[in-house]
């Protein structure tokens, strides 16, 4: 890669946005894992609400696509509905 100013700036920008995106993706994955680790509906319901909030936040920031957010929410809902 040649060391042109605009190319170097683009690399700096992509690194910054990559850090930003990884933070939000990690936060989302953690909240989803907490829900999928729950064993009862009573335990899972508040975790589900929190996970939905995080997923919506991440999707609104453009880190993930809105359809991926919908798929994740659907997956969580299916899991919660199978619990007793």
């Amino acid at each position: 890669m040649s060391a042109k100013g605009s190319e170097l700036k683009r690399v700096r920008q992509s690194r910054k946005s990559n850090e930003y995106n990884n933070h939000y993706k990690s936060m989302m994955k953690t909240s989803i894992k907490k829900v999928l680790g729950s064993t009862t509906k009573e335990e899972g319901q508040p975790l589900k609400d929190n996970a939905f909030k995080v997923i919506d936040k991440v999707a609104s920031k453009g880190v993930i696509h809105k359809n991926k957010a919908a798929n994740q929410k659907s997956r969580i809902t299916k899991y919660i509905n199978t619990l007793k």
Side-chain angles (χ1 to χ4, degrees):
M1 182 174 113
S2 62
K4 299 279 186 214
S6 62
E7 292 170 358
L8 294 175
K9 181 178 180 181
R10 191 67 198 140
V11 168
R12 287 194 308 269
Q13 287 176 328
S14 65
R15 283 189 184 142
K16 184 177 179 180
S17 66
N18 193 264
E19 273 185 48
Y20 175 87
N21 290 344
N22 283 339
H23 166 73
Y24 282 104
K25 283 181 185 178
S26 173
M27 194 167 62
M28 183 183 73
K29 287 178 187 176
T30 302
S31 65
I32 291 170
K33 281 182 188 176
K34 284 181 183 176
V35 175
L36 298 179
S38 61
T39 55
T40 62
K41 266 193 183 180
E42 293 78 29
E43 180 189 345
Q45 198 62 39
L47 294 172
K48 180 187 106 168
D49 296 339
N50 184 46
F52 278 19
K53 183 178 170 186
V54 171
I55 291 169
D56 288 335
K57 185 180 202 177
V58 171
S60 71
K61 292 181 179 293
V63 176
I64 62 169
H65 194 273
K66 63 178 185 165
N67 289 352
K68 178 168 181 146
N71 288 341
Q72 295 294 337
K73 288 164 72 172
S74 172
R75 180 175 156 220
I76 289 171
T77 304
K78 277 184 193 173
Y79 177 76
I80 292 294
N81 288 340
T82 62
L83 296 177
K84 292 183 179 182

